[in-house]
Amino acid sequence: MSSTEKPLSQAIRERRATPSFDGAAIPNKDLKKILEAGLHAPSGYNMQPWRFIVVRDAEQKRRLRGASFNQAKVEEASVMIVACGDADGWRNGDLEEMLRLGRQGGMSESYAAQAKETIPNYLSNHPNMPMWLNRHVMIAFTHMLLTAETLGYDTAPMEGFEEEKVREVLKLPLSYHVVALLGIGHLKGADKHDGGRFEMSRVVFDEEYGKRMRL
Ligand SMILES: Cc1cc2nc3c(=O)[nH]c(=O)nc-3n(C[C@H](O)[C@H](O)[C@H](O)COP(=O)(O)O)c2cc1C
C-alpha cells in the first residue's frame, strides 16, 4: 500500500460500495489501523458496546457468504469485519473498564460515582436496545470504512445477511446483535456506477422542518 494516505474529503467523494474484490491480502499494519480507527469512535457514556469479528480465513468467509444471501463479495473480500453490538457488555465488565480508563484520563470521582448509578439504570430500562447498539456500532463501522478508504482500500458495507446464520457461523453469544458487515479489499473489474445523492434542499432543513437551507 502506498505510504501517502488519501485526504478524508477525497475518500468520501470517491468511495463506492465495491461490487467485487480481488481477494489480495491486507497487511496486518493496515488492518490494525482500520480496527483502531473504529475503536476510537465516540459512544454514549463512552460505553463502547461494539464488538467486531474479523474474518479472513477462506473457509470461514465461504461460510459467512452462505449466511449472507450468497453475496460473492463476502468470499472475495480480503477481510470481512462483522460488526456486532453486545447488549450485555455493560453488565459484564465494560462499565468498570470504562470507569478505570476514565479515571486514568482524569475523570472525577463524583462523575464516576454518578455514572455507576446512572448507566445501569439507563441501560437496564432501555426501551430499544437494538437501536441503541445500532447507533453506536455504525459510528465505529463508519470510522473503519473511511479509514480503509483513506488507506487506498475499497469497501463494501452490507446488510444482506441472516442474523441467525451469521450467529451460528461465528459462534456468537446470545447477547450479540449483528449490525452490519464490512468487506475490505481491492476492487476487481469495473466499479459500481455513482448512484447520486439527494439535493440538500430535500434532506436538510434550516432551524425547523420545512425551512429551506441556503448556504
Ligand atoms: C448499511 C448498508 C448496507 C448495505 N448492504 C448492502 C448489501 O447487502 N449488498 C450490497 O450489494 N450493497 C449493500 N450496500 C451498498 C449500497 O447499495 C450502496 O451504498 C448504495 O447503493 C449507494 O452506492 P455507493 O455506496 O456506491 O454510493 C449497503 C450499504 C449500506 C450503507
Side-chain angles (χ1 to χ4, degrees):
M1 194 60 1
S2 116
S3 57
T4 49
E5 293 183 16
K6 251 189 225 181
L8 182 60
S9 55
Q10 186 188 351
I12 288 173
R13 260 197 329 273
E14 294 178 353
R15 183 207 58 77
R16 293 273 69 80
T18 302
S20 186
F21 292 101
D22 70 7
I26 292 185
N28 279 345
K29 74 168 184 13
D30 287 348
L31 180 57
K32 195 170 174 203
K33 267 191 193 169
I34 292 165
L35 293 168
E36 280 175 344
L39 305 191
H40 273 90
S43 57
Y45 294 109
N46 199 23
M47 282 305 293
Q48 309 166 56
W50 42 69
R51 301 289 187 266
F52 301 98
I53 315 289
V54 178
V55 179
R56 287 176 289 180
D57 176 72
E59 185 53 29
Q60 189 69 333
K61 282 192 286 186
R62 193 186 61 74
R63 284 193 284 261
L64 189 59
R65 174 180 177 172
S68 310
F69 301 109
N70 198 31
Q71 296 193 69
K73 56 188 158 187
V74 172
E75 201 174 345
E76 293 169 356
S78 312
V79 178
M80 286 299 303
I81 298 178
V82 181
C84 306
D86 183 1
D88 283 348
W90 66 275
R91 292 182 211 272
N92 296 327
D94 283 6
L95 178 56
E96 290 72 20
E97 181 61 1
M98 181 279 284
L99 292 172
R100 188 187 69 78
L101 291 167
R103 285 185 174 111
Q104 250 177 30
M107 178 190 286
S108 72
E109 281 310 315
S110 64
Y111 179 91
Q114 202 188 5
K116 238 172 153 168
E117 289 223 349
T118 309
I119 295 171
N121 272 339
Y122 173 55
L123 292 178
S124 57
N125 294 309
H126 202 286
N128 194 339
M129 181 52 65
M131 185 204 65
W132 185 78
L133 291 173
N134 198 77
R135 176 183 291 154
H136 294 103
V137 172
M138 285 312 287
I139 299 176
F141 182 99
T142 306
H143 275 55
M144 289 184 188
L145 181 153
L146 290 176
T147 297
E149 294 276 345
T150 62
L151 292 174
Y153 294 101
D154 299 300
T155 59
M158 280 174 253
E159 61 181 337
F161 59 85
E162 293 173 88
E163 182 166 23
E164 284 316 308
K165 291 187 180 171
V166 173
R167 187 183 288 292
E168 207 178 302
V169 170
L170 303 181
K171 304 188 171 79
L172 298 179
L174 282 173
S175 62
Y176 275 41
H177 294 242
V178 185
V179 173
L181 273 46
L182 176 59
I184 305 173
H186 288 291
L187 171 72
K188 182 181 75 184
D191 210 349
K192 188 174 147 289
H193 67 279
D194 180 349
R197 288 300 184 270
F198 296 147
E199 289 289 335
M200 199 180 284
S201 59
R202 188 178 190 88
V203 294
V204 180
F205 305 107
D206 193 9
E207 307 294 352
E208 62 182 42
Y209 170 73
K211 275 199 176 171
R212 195 182 177 131
M213 186 82 200
R214 291 178 203 280
L215 292 173

